[in-house]
Amino acid sequence: MSNTVRERGADSSVEVRAAEVSSEAGGKVAENSGFLSVAAGLVGVVSYACSLLMANMLGTADYTQFAAAAMLLGVVGIVASALVPLPLSHFVAVHPAGSDGRRDGMAFSAFVSCLAGIAAAAVTGALTMAFATPALAAAAALGALAIFLVAAPSGWLQGELRFKWYALTTMGEVILRLAFSLLVVLLAWGAVGAILGFALGALALVVVPWSFYRDLQWRPHVLRQRWRWAETGDIASVLCVVSVLVGVDVVMVAFLDEGPAAAGFQALATIAKGPVYVAAGTALVAFPLLRRPGVNVRAVLGAAFASFSQLAVVAFAIIATAPHALAGVIIPEKYHGSLELLPWLAAAGLGYAVLTVLTTILLALRAYRRCQLGLACACLLVVAGLWTGWQVNAVSGLAIGSAVGAVAAATVLAFISWPVLSAVGPAKGAGRSMAGAGILLLALAVASQLQPIVWLAFATIAGLAVLAHQRGLLPRTLGWGTFRRRFEAPSRGAGRRSKVQEPPSNLLVAALIRVVSSSAAAFIAVSAAAFGVRAFGLERGFELWVDELLYVRLGESLTTGQVPTLPDGPFFLHPPGFFLLEAGTIKLLGISGDIVEVVLQLRWLNAALGAITVGLGFLLVRKLASTTAAWLTALVLAFEPFILRNNSHAFLETSAMAFVLAGFLVLLGTRQVLTRTLQPKRRLPVILRLVAAGLLLGYAVVCKDFFVICTVGPVAVAVIWKRTLPWRQAAVVLLASAVPYATYLAVAASQAHLPDWIEAKTSGLLRASGLEKSTGFTAEGSPNIVTRLIEQSSHFGSSYLLLALCPLAGALLCFSHRADRRLIGLAGLALGAAGAYSAAFGTFEEQYGYGVMIAGVLCSVLVVVELRERFARGRTFLLVASLCFVVLTVILGARTALTVDNGFVQAKDWVKTTLPADARISVTNSTGEFAFADDPRFGVWPSAPLMQEAGANYILTQSHPTSQGYGYANPDMLTWLNEHAIPVFSAEGPTNGSTTVWLVPPAELSVGAANGTGSPSKTYETER
């Protein structure tokens, strides 16, 4: 009897202790969320003040460099805060002070901080060196290192639940930076001193209790524990994606528009992110509490959602309804024209805040899959909303699109998260919470319209009431506290992958999850993201190329029902596959205008095809290797600078490789294709799949017949090589692949063009073989290919590495144990070998390398997977090398997309607005000739005598191609113009160098003509 009493007493004491822990946890959420939210807001305000101070006190050049370096350090801060603090807070929360578990976790975090800090310093310094002085680059590198080194103390404070100390250190960091900024201004240290403020301010974050340093020990063995890397990677990747989503609208508007409307958008978007500061405060408190052993998860979640809903809704309502008269007091006058955007930006801020809170809670509950699915949907919705808004109504549309995309993303993530959240704490009272939010929003909106002072009184009362309620100064039953309830739930352990028990979800949720996790959804998400990358610089980041001008003319000719035709007659050098796609797009969308306008519009076709290629590459590698390898492949294909450039021009190769990958994906989509004996029930589906694959591969050849070597060739060789493909299946594919080209030849023959086709193909084969060297790097007078590679290595270093790796990786893959990988290896080997031959002996032009690089990416990734499967010892090296290459590719690709390179378009705009109507202007290469063919003021007069004869007094030049011997003008003509002509327009770009319109004074032109200045090059009158 006494034992029973004691047991009941013990049980009772455990229940009481659990209740106390739950009450304490809920109280900490309510007590600290508001405090941290206010602190985060103050940090944002002070940071904004620092930026304004530098904008007003530094010179234009210094501030431009400071702003660019500060943006890079902001990215570093996002990565550092995602990589270290939250994972460390977990170990601190789970393990007591002095324990091996805590010391191991702290040692791991310190090592990660140092290693990542060194890498960040190197990358940040290198990027800064591209636009600033070595001193500023060194300061930026030091700041990046400091940001990472102070991340560990922040994580320790969060795990210890010392949120007040954490808030004070973060505020001390920005205040110290502000004070140092004032000193910089007084001492005239310029941008270098301003950037040093980031490193100096970070010193405030190392002021933590000595117990932190007591548990910090040298334990290098923790770096070999893979589960730690996995845990850190899971958390860091999610938080980095969330941070990018929260700031993508500000970055996007800065890239798309440089006017006052964009500046106003940026200023208001920073203020409208108020709910995000609330979300940051809630997330900082909730994550370590949810990871503490023995905590009542339901109580913490109830308190977290209650606290967040109160603060976020009030912040949103105040920002969205702020009267213009009051908002104009804190917003600079030059941004007042953008105040109409504030409600939309506030709605976007609320959506981003919900994303932040839900992702952090899902991470804390270890619902990694749902978190990743939700973020994938969020990326798609946010980017789609932003881009659609910009297309509809520029900056104003971008604000609306930001709101729609963010709110839709938050709704989808909440829907996906619901089974997990409802399992640990149903949210009864949500209706009353929404009703209260609606009443507050309505009251503030009415007050804002009636009298700003009344609005100010309401807003002040609402804000103070919520903060007082958060601090426990008001009864807990007030406000929207119905989310905060006590539920009895199993306590959560500290294991890395322990999962929440999910109840059976309803059919709609289950169907949504199946759809989101399907291959089709992955393909759409990857392709949409790749399209977004291409869309950034499509119209302003890639110079016009004469080939795309010709190809667009050929596509236009097909819309009239004739064979591809140029002004000098039918065109049969390339087959019409891509021209048919152009013609269909022109007809479907009603595209019209001069040649340049049509080219810029048809570039969207190739951007879409390039994005589809990225999605197909993702699916193909996921089929042949793993999902991780597929994501790395997609990342490289999306950002690889040379691939990006080809996808952003109206070139043939993009469409051809899209059909090549589609054909191989269909061909290798089921193992039945590679089986020598087909089951009777599976015979017809397999045959249909083979026919479809053959038609896709055949259409790739109709886009450009060069690609026969990576379509028909590998399929034929696969029959012999290690019996990779059964001969019956290969025969079906080959017969089907011949159909598209045979149809093309039949149409040409029916119109009596077969002799023209034979003549064009004979000339093309002579050029491709190198017997006739009229174009490309092997042609006489062309720049040396090695010199060209060295000059372009800073832009296309990853591309050249892929060119070299393609034949090697393809050859290694030919010896794989898997037949499907061997087939891809054969294709890569064929393309790589053809590229090497063209570079050494044949006619190698830059765009020919596109297919080689696509194959190089696929084969290289598959070879890395093969080596990791076969050799355990070199796995770490392969992983590190692969990640370094991916990072390099992303950096170079982002630089390519963001670089302005549209000299011809700028020159055309200048001509429309400034060039006199009676002027005569000469062009100096074939691109200019075709670009201005519709303007009678232009002609081809690339020397002084020809200009005088034609009565021309202007001339358009491009410094790079002219100095390298391309085009109609002699390099001596460019030298003479620099000495005797007046540049009236100039635009810089990496492709053409300086695109310049020169005004040649009549007296100087007469002297130059008399001296015979600028004899035309040998290609004059031959490139038409």
PDB file of all heavy atoms in Angstrom, residues 356-384:
ATOM      1  N   THR A 356       9.011  32.222 -42.445  1.00  0.00           N
ATOM      2  CA  THR A 356      10.135  32.104 -41.519  1.00  0.00           C
ATOM      3  C   THR A 356       9.763  31.289 -40.289  1.00  0.00           C
ATOM      4  O   THR A 356      10.505  30.393 -39.865  1.00  0.00           O
ATOM      5  CB  THR A 356      10.606  33.508 -41.101  1.00  0.00           C
ATOM      6  OG1 THR A 356      10.956  34.256 -42.265  1.00  0.00           O
ATOM      7  CG2 THR A 356      11.805  33.429 -40.168  1.00  0.00           C
ATOM      8  N   VAL A 357       8.620  31.584 -39.693  1.00  0.00           N
ATOM      9  CA  VAL A 357       8.216  30.879 -38.471  1.00  0.00           C
ATOM     10  C   VAL A 357       7.928  29.410 -38.756  1.00  0.00           C
ATOM     11  O   VAL A 357       8.385  28.506 -38.028  1.00  0.00           O
ATOM     12  CB  VAL A 357       6.986  31.570 -37.850  1.00  0.00           C
ATOM     13  CG1 VAL A 357       6.373  30.696 -36.766  1.00  0.00           C
ATOM     14  CG2 VAL A 357       7.397  32.904 -37.261  1.00  0.00           C
ATOM     15  N   LEU A 358       7.166  29.135 -39.806  1.00  0.00           N
ATOM     16  CA  LEU A 358       6.797  27.742 -40.085  1.00  0.00           C
ATOM     17  C   LEU A 358       8.023  26.892 -40.430  1.00  0.00           C
ATOM     18  O   LEU A 358       8.127  25.740 -39.985  1.00  0.00           O
ATOM     19  CB  LEU A 358       5.785  27.699 -41.225  1.00  0.00           C
ATOM     20  CG  LEU A 358       4.365  28.171 -40.890  1.00  0.00           C
ATOM     21  CD1 LEU A 358       3.474  28.079 -42.113  1.00  0.00           C
ATOM     22  CD2 LEU A 358       3.776  27.345 -39.746  1.00  0.00           C
ATOM     23  N   THR A 359       8.939  27.427 -41.218  1.00  0.00           N
ATOM     24  CA  THR A 359      10.123  26.635 -41.560  1.00  0.00           C
ATOM     25  C   THR A 359      10.979  26.360 -40.321  1.00  0.00           C
ATOM     26  O   THR A 359      11.496  25.255 -40.150  1.00  0.00           O
ATOM     27  CB  THR A 359      10.962  27.361 -42.622  1.00  0.00           C
ATOM     28  OG1 THR A 359      11.190  28.719 -42.212  1.00  0.00           O
ATOM     29  CG2 THR A 359      10.285  27.355 -43.959  1.00  0.00           C
ATOM     30  N   THR A 360      11.129  27.357 -39.456  1.00  0.00           N
ATOM     31  CA  THR A 360      11.922  27.148 -38.241  1.00  0.00           C
ATOM     32  C   THR A 360      11.276  26.099 -37.341  1.00  0.00           C
ATOM     33  O   THR A 360      11.961  25.237 -36.774  1.00  0.00           O
ATOM     34  CB  THR A 360      12.083  28.467 -37.476  1.00  0.00           C
ATOM     35  OG1 THR A 360      12.626  29.463 -38.350  1.00  0.00           O
ATOM     36  CG2 THR A 360      13.018  28.296 -36.289  1.00  0.00           C
ATOM     37  N   ILE A 361       9.965  26.137 -37.197  1.00  0.00           N
ATOM     38  CA  ILE A 361       9.277  25.157 -36.342  1.00  0.00           C
ATOM     39  C   ILE A 361       9.354  23.768 -36.957  1.00  0.00           C
ATOM     40  O   ILE A 361       9.566  22.769 -36.254  1.00  0.00           O
ATOM     41  CB  ILE A 361       7.820  25.605 -36.116  1.00  0.00           C
ATOM     42  CG1 ILE A 361       7.805  26.801 -35.150  1.00  0.00           C
ATOM     43  CG2 ILE A 361       6.965  24.474 -35.575  1.00  0.00           C
ATOM     44  CD1 ILE A 361       6.462  27.396 -34.917  1.00  0.00           C
ATOM     45  N   LEU A 362       9.209  23.662 -38.268  1.00  0.00           N
ATOM     46  CA  LEU A 362       9.343  22.359 -38.912  1.00  0.00           C
ATOM     47  C   LEU A 362      10.754  21.807 -38.731  1.00  0.00           C
ATOM     48  O   LEU A 362      10.945  20.602 -38.549  1.00  0.00           O
ATOM     49  CB  LEU A 362       8.990  22.464 -40.392  1.00  0.00           C
ATOM     50  CG  LEU A 362       7.511  22.676 -40.719  1.00  0.00           C
ATOM     51  CD1 LEU A 362       7.322  22.873 -42.217  1.00  0.00           C
ATOM     52  CD2 LEU A 362       6.676  21.494 -40.238  1.00  0.00           C
ATOM     53  N   LEU A 363      11.754  22.682 -38.804  1.00  0.00           N
ATOM     54  CA  LEU A 363      13.126  22.240 -38.538  1.00  0.00           C
ATOM     55  C   LEU A 363      13.266  21.749 -37.102  1.00  0.00           C
ATOM     56  O   LEU A 363      13.902  20.722 -36.838  1.00  0.00           O
ATOM     57  CB  LEU A 363      14.104  23.383 -38.789  1.00  0.00           C
ATOM     58  CG  LEU A 363      14.404  23.756 -40.240  1.00  0.00           C
ATOM     59  CD1 LEU A 363      15.301  24.976 -40.287  1.00  0.00           C
ATOM     60  CD2 LEU A 363      15.053  22.598 -40.973  1.00  0.00           C
ATOM     61  N   ALA A 364      12.690  22.499 -36.162  1.00  0.00           N
ATOM     62  CA  ALA A 364      12.789  22.100 -34.757  1.00  0.00           C
ATOM     63  C   ALA A 364      12.108  20.761 -34.513  1.00  0.00           C
ATOM     64  O   ALA A 364      12.570  19.954 -33.703  1.00  0.00           O
ATOM     65  CB  ALA A 364      12.163  23.173 -33.867  1.00  0.00           C
ATOM     66  N   LEU A 365      11.008  20.494 -35.244  1.00  0.00           N
ATOM     67  CA  LEU A 365      10.295  19.218 -35.099  1.00  0.00           C
ATOM     68  C   LEU A 365      10.862  18.127 -35.995  1.00  0.00           C
ATOM     69  O   LEU A 365      10.332  17.011 -36.032  1.00  0.00           O
ATOM     70  CB  LEU A 365       8.808  19.427 -35.434  1.00  0.00           C
ATOM     71  CG  LEU A 365       8.049  20.405 -34.536  1.00  0.00           C
ATOM     72  CD1 LEU A 365       6.627  20.552 -35.017  1.00  0.00           C
ATOM     73  CD2 LEU A 365       8.088  19.958 -33.094  1.00  0.00           C
ATOM     74  N   ARG A 366      11.916  18.468 -36.758  1.00  0.00           N
ATOM     75  CA  ARG A 366      12.587  17.545 -37.660  1.00  0.00           C
ATOM     76  C   ARG A 366      11.676  17.013 -38.768  1.00  0.00           C
ATOM     77  O   ARG A 366      11.846  15.900 -39.256  1.00  0.00           O
ATOM     78  CB  ARG A 366      13.197  16.367 -36.882  1.00  0.00           C
ATOM     79  CG  ARG A 366      14.288  16.784 -35.912  1.00  0.00           C
ATOM     80  CD  ARG A 366      14.898  15.567 -35.228  1.00  0.00           C
ATOM     81  NE  ARG A 366      15.999  15.960 -34.379  1.00  0.00           N
ATOM     82  CZ  ARG A 366      15.858  16.418 -33.141  1.00  0.00           C
ATOM     83  NH1 ARG A 366      14.649  16.539 -32.624  1.00  0.00           N
ATOM     84  NH2 ARG A 366      16.908  16.751 -32.419  1.00  0.00           N
ATOM     85  N   ALA A 367      10.730  17.797 -39.160  1.00  0.00           N
ATOM     86  CA  ALA A 367       9.883  17.446 -40.307  1.00  0.00           C
ATOM     87  C   ALA A 367      10.563  17.977 -41.566  1.00  0.00           C
ATOM     88  O   ALA A 367      10.063  18.881 -42.242  1.00  0.00           O
ATOM     89  CB  ALA A 367       8.496  18.042 -40.133  1.00  0.00           C
ATOM     90  N   TYR A 368      11.737  17.429 -41.876  1.00  0.00           N
ATOM     91  CA  TYR A 368      12.574  17.980 -42.930  1.00  0.00           C
ATOM     92  C   TYR A 368      11.928  17.886 -44.300  1.00  0.00           C
ATOM     93  O   TYR A 368      12.010  18.801 -45.120  1.00  0.00           O
ATOM     94  CB  TYR A 368      13.926  17.259 -42.958  1.00  0.00           C
ATOM     95  CG  TYR A 368      14.743  17.473 -41.719  1.00  0.00           C
ATOM     96  CD1 TYR A 368      15.076  16.403 -40.891  1.00  0.00           C
ATOM     97  CD2 TYR A 368      15.184  18.735 -41.356  1.00  0.00           C
ATOM     98  CE1 TYR A 368      15.826  16.589 -39.749  1.00  0.00           C
ATOM     99  CE2 TYR A 368      15.941  18.936 -40.215  1.00  0.00           C
ATOM    100  CZ  TYR A 368      16.255  17.857 -39.420  1.00  0.00           C
ATOM    101  OH  TYR A 368      16.996  18.044 -38.281  1.00  0.00           O
ATOM    102  N   ARG A 369      11.261  16.767 -44.567  1.00  0.00           N
ATOM    103  CA  ARG A 369      10.707  16.582 -45.903  1.00  0.00           C
ATOM    104  C   ARG A 369       9.608  17.594 -46.193  1.00  0.00           C
ATOM    105  O   ARG A 369       9.567  18.198 -47.260  1.00  0.00           O
ATOM    106  CB  ARG A 369      10.161  15.156 -46.044  1.00  0.00           C
ATOM    107  CG  ARG A 369       9.681  14.844 -47.447  1.00  0.00           C
ATOM    108  CD  ARG A 369       9.039  13.492 -47.524  1.00  0.00           C
ATOM    109  NE  ARG A 369       8.528  13.235 -48.862  1.00  0.00           N
ATOM    110  CZ  ARG A 369       7.652  12.295 -49.145  1.00  0.00           C
ATOM    111  NH1 ARG A 369       7.198  11.508 -48.189  1.00  0.00           N
ATOM    112  NH2 ARG A 369       7.218  12.112 -50.377  1.00  0.00           N
ATOM    113  N   ARG A 370       8.710  17.761 -45.240  1.00  0.00           N
ATOM    114  CA  ARG A 370       7.638  18.729 -45.444  1.00  0.00           C
ATOM    115  C   ARG A 370       8.205  20.146 -45.580  1.00  0.00           C
ATOM    116  O   ARG A 370       7.720  20.951 -46.374  1.00  0.00           O
ATOM    117  CB  ARG A 370       6.654  18.671 -44.278  1.00  0.00           C
ATOM    118  CG  ARG A 370       5.829  17.406 -44.258  1.00  0.00           C
ATOM    119  CD  ARG A 370       4.805  17.432 -43.130  1.00  0.00           C
ATOM    120  NE  ARG A 370       4.101  16.168 -43.060  1.00  0.00           N
ATOM    121  CZ  ARG A 370       3.030  15.877 -43.792  1.00  0.00           C
ATOM    122  NH1 ARG A 370       2.554  16.778 -44.626  1.00  0.00           N
ATOM    123  NH2 ARG A 370       2.441  14.711 -43.681  1.00  0.00           N
ATOM    124  N   CYS A 371       9.231  20.430 -44.811  1.00  0.00           N
ATOM    125  CA  CYS A 371       9.863  21.746 -44.885  1.00  0.00           C
ATOM    126  C   CYS A 371      10.444  21.988 -46.279  1.00  0.00           C
ATOM    127  O   CYS A 371      10.252  23.054 -46.875  1.00  0.00           O
ATOM    128  CB  CYS A 371      10.945  21.851 -43.821  1.00  0.00           C
ATOM    129  SG  CYS A 371      11.667  23.488 -43.656  1.00  0.00           S
ATOM    130  N   GLN A 372      11.126  21.004 -46.820  1.00  0.00           N
ATOM    131  CA  GLN A 372      11.742  21.157 -48.131  1.00  0.00           C
ATOM    132  C   GLN A 372      10.696  21.256 -49.238  1.00  0.00           C
ATOM    133  O   GLN A 372      10.823  22.051 -50.168  1.00  0.00           O
ATOM    134  CB  GLN A 372      12.695  19.988 -48.390  1.00  0.00           C
ATOM    135  CG  GLN A 372      13.922  20.020 -47.490  1.00  0.00           C
ATOM    136  CD  GLN A 372      14.662  18.687 -47.440  1.00  0.00           C
ATOM    137  OE1 GLN A 372      14.190  17.692 -47.990  1.00  0.00           O
ATOM    138  NE2 GLN A 372      15.801  18.669 -46.770  1.00  0.00           N
ATOM    139  N   LEU A 373       9.617  20.439 -49.116  1.00  0.00           N
ATOM    140  CA  LEU A 373       8.549  20.521 -50.100  1.00  0.00           C
ATOM    141  C   LEU A 373       7.884  21.894 -50.072  1.00  0.00           C
ATOM    142  O   LEU A 373       7.611  22.501 -51.114  1.00  0.00           O
ATOM    143  CB  LEU A 373       7.508  19.427 -49.828  1.00  0.00           C
ATOM    144  CG  LEU A 373       7.921  17.986 -50.110  1.00  0.00           C
ATOM    145  CD1 LEU A 373       6.817  17.031 -49.702  1.00  0.00           C
ATOM    146  CD2 LEU A 373       8.266  17.799 -51.571  1.00  0.00           C
ATOM    147  N   GLY A 374       7.624  22.370 -48.870  1.00  0.00           N
ATOM    148  CA  GLY A 374       7.006  23.678 -48.750  1.00  0.00           C
ATOM    149  C   GLY A 374       7.872  24.784 -49.313  1.00  0.00           C
ATOM    150  O   GLY A 374       7.381  25.704 -49.983  1.00  0.00           O
ATOM    151  N   LEU A 375       9.178  24.708 -49.048  1.00  0.00           N
ATOM    152  CA  LEU A 375      10.079  25.735 -49.573  1.00  0.00           C
ATOM    153  C   LEU A 375      10.198  25.666 -51.091  1.00  0.00           C
ATOM    154  O   LEU A 375      10.336  26.692 -51.760  1.00  0.00           O
ATOM    155  CB  LEU A 375      11.460  25.596 -48.936  1.00  0.00           C
ATOM    156  CG  LEU A 375      11.634  26.261 -47.571  1.00  0.00           C
ATOM    157  CD1 LEU A 375      13.060  26.130 -47.106  1.00  0.00           C
ATOM    158  CD2 LEU A 375      11.258  27.729 -47.633  1.00  0.00           C
ATOM    159  N   ALA A 376      10.175  24.458 -51.650  1.00  0.00           N
ATOM    160  CA  ALA A 376      10.203  24.331 -53.114  1.00  0.00           C
ATOM    161  C   ALA A 376       8.995  25.035 -53.730  1.00  0.00           C
ATOM    162  O   ALA A 376       9.113  25.783 -54.709  1.00  0.00           O
ATOM    163  CB  ALA A 376      10.233  22.861 -53.519  1.00  0.00           C
ATOM    164  N   CYS A 377       7.819  24.806 -53.145  1.00  0.00           N
ATOM    165  CA  CYS A 377       6.618  25.505 -53.623  1.00  0.00           C
ATOM    166  C   CYS A 377       6.744  27.007 -53.414  1.00  0.00           C
ATOM    167  O   CYS A 377       6.352  27.805 -54.275  1.00  0.00           O
ATOM    168  CB  CYS A 377       5.386  24.979 -52.891  1.00  0.00           C
ATOM    169  SG  CYS A 377       4.980  23.266 -53.238  1.00  0.00           S
ATOM    170  N   ALA A 378       7.295  27.409 -52.271  1.00  0.00           N
ATOM    171  CA  ALA A 378       7.439  28.834 -51.975  1.00  0.00           C
ATOM    172  C   ALA A 378       8.347  29.517 -52.991  1.00  0.00           C
ATOM    173  O   ALA A 378       8.058  30.629 -53.453  1.00  0.00           O
ATOM    174  CB  ALA A 378       7.972  29.022 -50.560  1.00  0.00           C
ATOM    175  N   CYS A 379       9.461  28.881 -53.326  1.00  0.00           N
ATOM    176  CA  CYS A 379      10.377  29.465 -54.318  1.00  0.00           C
ATOM    177  C   CYS A 379       9.643  29.693 -55.638  1.00  0.00           C
ATOM    178  O   CYS A 379       9.760  30.762 -56.260  1.00  0.00           O
ATOM    179  CB  CYS A 379      11.577  28.551 -54.529  1.00  0.00           C
ATOM    180  SG  CYS A 379      12.699  28.462 -53.120  1.00  0.00           S
ATOM    181  N   LEU A 380       8.904  28.690 -56.062  1.00  0.00           N
ATOM    182  CA  LEU A 380       8.193  28.793 -57.329  1.00  0.00           C
ATOM    183  C   LEU A 380       7.154  29.916 -57.284  1.00  0.00           C
ATOM    184  O   LEU A 380       7.061  30.746 -58.190  1.00  0.00           O
ATOM    185  CB  LEU A 380       7.514  27.458 -57.645  1.00  0.00           C
ATOM    186  CG  LEU A 380       6.765  27.355 -58.972  1.00  0.00           C
ATOM    187  CD1 LEU A 380       7.712  27.580 -60.134  1.00  0.00           C
ATOM    188  CD2 LEU A 380       6.095  25.997 -59.092  1.00  0.00           C
ATOM    189  N   LEU A 381       6.374  29.983 -56.200  1.00  0.00           N
ATOM    190  CA  LEU A 381       5.300  30.970 -56.105  1.00  0.00           C
ATOM    191  C   LEU A 381       5.843  32.386 -55.964  1.00  0.00           C
ATOM    192  O   LEU A 381       5.334  33.326 -56.594  1.00  0.00           O
ATOM    193  CB  LEU A 381       4.397  30.626 -54.921  1.00  0.00           C
ATOM    194  CG  LEU A 381       3.539  29.361 -55.086  1.00  0.00           C
ATOM    195  CD1 LEU A 381       2.895  28.984 -53.766  1.00  0.00           C
ATOM    196  CD2 LEU A 381       2.486  29.565 -56.151  1.00  0.00           C
ATOM    197  N   VAL A 382       6.870  32.561 -55.136  1.00  0.00           N
ATOM    198  CA  VAL A 382       7.421  33.905 -54.929  1.00  0.00           C
ATOM    199  C   VAL A 382       8.047  34.439 -56.212  1.00  0.00           C
ATOM    200  O   VAL A 382       7.780  35.577 -56.625  1.00  0.00           O
ATOM    201  CB  VAL A 382       8.444  33.893 -53.777  1.00  0.00           C
ATOM    202  CG1 VAL A 382       9.211  35.213 -53.729  1.00  0.00           C
ATOM    203  CG2 VAL A 382       7.748  33.653 -52.447  1.00  0.00           C
ATOM    204  N   VAL A 383       8.877  33.627 -56.860  1.00  0.00           N
ATOM    205  CA  VAL A 383       9.521  34.077 -58.100  1.00  0.00           C
ATOM    206  C   VAL A 383       8.476  34.338 -59.181  1.00  0.00           C
ATOM    207  O   VAL A 383       8.553  35.333 -59.917  1.00  0.00           O
ATOM    208  CB  VAL A 383      10.554  33.033 -58.564  1.00  0.00           C
ATOM    209  CG1 VAL A 383      11.103  33.403 -59.938  1.00  0.00           C
ATOM    210  CG2 VAL A 383      11.699  32.937 -57.567  1.00  0.00           C
ATOM    211  N   ALA A 384       7.473  33.442 -59.274  1.00  0.00           N
ATOM    212  CA  ALA A 384       6.418  33.645 -60.274  1.00  0.00           C
ATOM    213  C   ALA A 384       5.648  34.939 -60.001  1.00  0.00           C
ATOM    214  O   ALA A 384       5.333  35.697 -60.925  1.00  0.00           O
ATOM    215  CB  ALA A 384       5.467  32.453 -60.274  1.00  0.00           C
TER     216      ALA A 384
END
